[in-house]
């Protein structure tokens, strides 16, 4: 078990969500990188447990799916990571992170709302993986009842496997990111794309902010 957890942490945090200082060159924002808004069900499509993920300030919380468990990452990752939860066959990891206020995140949010925040989130991933992570498709606004997210899809395997991230702002003005990442470390079959999307949507439905 410990060896598997170490592999999971290495896979997730080196490949996808390494954090740190970012320098972004000033450039005009793209105008063709957005797809139409999607309105989704505000209720999870899979069975969720009563186990909670909670931000330090208490302005974001979420339940997790039945059978998923927390990875012990306290000494292994950036303090911006709130929680990592993993499914029972070690093929998916879900990461809840805080996007700490900084000139880049704040300026992009002021200029273009959640779309700006999503672009900044992706820029962080791309830069901290030396360009290994690439954007797949376009940014999209997701509406679930009275909640709003902007999601994007990314890959470090040329599209062979892809993860998804969604950014959002809490009622207290704090920025957060949720990511769902496939893992190939065990050799087990990955969830199908419809299954992956159903789990991703269910997490978003479960998030409260």
């Amino acid at each position: 078990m410990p060896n598997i957890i170490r592999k999971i942490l290495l896979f997730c945090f080196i490949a996808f969500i390494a954090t740190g200082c970012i320098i972004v060159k000033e450039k005009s924002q793209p105008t063709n990188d957005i797809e139409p808004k999607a309105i989704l069900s505000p209720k999870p499509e899979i069975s969720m447990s009563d186990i909670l993920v909670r931000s330090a300030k208490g302005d974001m919380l979420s339940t997790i799916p039945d059978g998923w468990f927390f990875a012990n990452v306290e000494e292994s990752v950036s303090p911006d990571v709130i929680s990592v939860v993993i499914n029972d066959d070690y093929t998916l990891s879900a990461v809840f992170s805080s996007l700490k206020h900084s000139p880049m995140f704040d300026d992009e949010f002021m200029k273009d709302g959640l779309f700006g925040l999503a672009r900044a989130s992706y820029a962080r991933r791309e830069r901290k993986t030396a360009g290994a992570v690439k954007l797949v498709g376009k940014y999209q606004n997701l509406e679930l009842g009275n909640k709003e997210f902007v999601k994007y899809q990314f890959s470090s395997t040329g599209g062979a496997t892809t993860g998804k991230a969604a950014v959002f702002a809490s009622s207290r003005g704090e920025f957060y990111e949720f990511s769902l990442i496939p893992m190939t470390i065990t050799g087990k079959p990955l969830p199908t794309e419809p299954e992956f999307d159903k789990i991703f949507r269910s997490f978003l439905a479960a998030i409260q902010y």
Side-chain angles (χ1 to χ4, degrees):
M1 183 75 71
N3 288 335
I4 292 178
I5 295 297
R6 282 196 290 272
K7 289 180 181 179
I8 289 169
L9 297 179
L10 184 65
F11 184 88
C12 293
F13 297 104
I14 291 180
F16 288 116
I17 59 169
T19 59
C21 297
I22 310 164
I23 301 172
V24 179
K25 294 182 180 179
E26 185 67 24
K27 61 181 179 180
S28 59
Q29 292 290 359
T31 57
N32 61 345
D33 66 343
I34 296 174
E35 60 180 297
K37 175 192 289 190
I39 299 176
L40 306 178
S41 170
K43 296 183 178 180
E45 300 170 55
I46 62 174
S47 179
M48 307 295 283
S49 71
D50 295 328
I51 301 172
L52 287 177
V53 173
R54 187 186 302 271
S55 65
K57 295 186 177 181
D59 58 337
M60 185 284 297
L61 57 85
S62 176
T63 55
I64 67 174
D66 283 333
W68 289 51
F69 63 94
F70 288 95
N72 184 3
V73 297
E74 291 181 3
E75 299 178 359
S76 307
V77 299
S78 163
D80 293 346
V81 174
I82 299 168
S83 290
V84 178
V85 294
I86 301 168
N87 66 345
D88 57 1
D89 62 359
Y90 297 91
T91 56
L92 291 175
S93 62
V95 184
F96 295 83
S97 303
S98 171
L99 301 178
K100 302 294 187 183
H101 285 286
S102 67
M104 186 187 71
F105 287 132
D106 291 348
D107 290 350
E108 292 301 318
F109 184 74
M110 287 293 293
K111 285 191 292 185
D112 205 13
L114 290 179
F115 283 103
L117 191 63
R119 293 188 187 105
S121 166
Y122 168 68
R124 180 183 67 172
R125 273 195 163 87
E126 183 183 40
R127 182 176 181 83
K128 295 303 293 183
T129 58
V133 167
K134 299 297 184 184
L135 186 69
V136 178
K138 301 181 179 183
Y139 299 94
Q140 185 181 34
N141 177 252
L142 303 178
E143 184 179 307
L144 293 83
N146 61 353
K147 299 182 297 186
E148 185 177 9
F149 304 84
V150 167
K151 68 95 174 171
Y152 64 90
Q153 193 165 347
F154 56 91
S155 177
S156 65
T157 59
T161 59
T162 60
K164 286 187 178 181
V167 300
F168 55 101
S170 77
S171 58
R172 294 187 181 181
E174 300 298 326
F175 302 146
Y176 294 98
E177 176 189 281
F178 168 76
S179 303
L180 187 63
I181 303 168
M183 299 188 297
T184 58
I185 56 175
T186 64
K188 295 180 180 179
L190 295 176
T192 64
E193 186 174 351
E195 289 171 338
F196 183 98
D197 289 344
K198 181 186 292 187
I199 294 167
F200 183 75
R201 293 191 301 265
S202 295
F203 267 107
L204 297 190
I207 292 172
Q208 301 297 322
Y209 61 85

